[in-house]
Amino acid sequence: MVILMEFNTFALFNLHLALLVSYIIGLGDACSEIMIYSVVAILYKNECSCAYCLLNFVQLTASATGFFYFNYFRLDVPMYILISFVIVTNICFYLVTISNEDIKQSV
C-alpha cells in the first residue's frame, strides 16, 4: 500500500535534475577530499597516518551526527547547516593554504 502525500515544494521532482545535482555534489566532494588530503600530507609529513586518522574520525563523526539530526528536521534545516559548514570549511582551507609556506612552494 502506497500513501501519497502532497508536499509544498519549490519545484516538481525531476529525475534528470536530481541525478545531475547528485553528480555535481559527488564531484565537488571528491575534489575537496583530494585537496584536503594533499594539504594534510604536506603539513604533516612525519605524522601523516595520525593526521589521516584524525581527519577521518572528524569526518565520520560529522556524518553520523548528520544522520542523527536529519530525521528530526525538515529538509531545509539540514541543508542550511551543511551549507554553513561548507562555507566555514572553505574559508578555513583558504586561510591555511595562504598562510603556510610549504603549501606555496609545492604548488
Side-chain angles (χ1 to χ4, degrees):
M1 181 166 104
V2 176
I3 299 173
L4 296 175
M5 300 177 72
E6 184 177 331
F7 292 105
N8 221 357
T9 60
F10 293 112
L12 296 175
F13 179 77
N14 187 347
L15 179 63
H16 299 294
L17 182 63
L19 290 175
L20 177 68
V21 169
S22 63
Y23 173 76
I24 292 171
I25 289 172
L27 184 64
D29 181 52
C31 293
S32 65
E33 287 291 320
I34 290 170
M35 290 188 327
I36 289 172
Y37 280 139
S38 66
V39 167
V40 167
I42 292 170
L43 291 178
Y44 301 100
K45 293 176 185 171
N46 298 331
E47 302 168 346
C48 214
S49 63
C50 294
Y52 286 133
C53 289
L54 185 61
L55 177 65
N56 283 335
F57 175 74
V58 170
Q59 286 178 339
L60 292 174
T61 304
S63 177
T65 306
F67 279 118
F68 174 73
Y69 71 74
F70 201 87
N71 293 327
Y72 297 103
F73 298 115
R74 292 185 332 199
L75 180 62
D76 58 340
V77 174
M79 295 308 285
Y80 293 141
I81 293 171
L82 288 173
I83 289 169
S84 63
F85 274 109
V86 164
I87 291 170
V88 169
T89 302
N90 285 331
I91 290 171
C92 291
F93 180 79
Y94 178 72
L95 292 175
V96 166
T97 53
I98 64 170
S99 67
N100 198 319
E101 292 296 324
D102 292 336
I103 298 172
K104 289 180 186 176
Q105 292 173 357
S106 68
V107 175

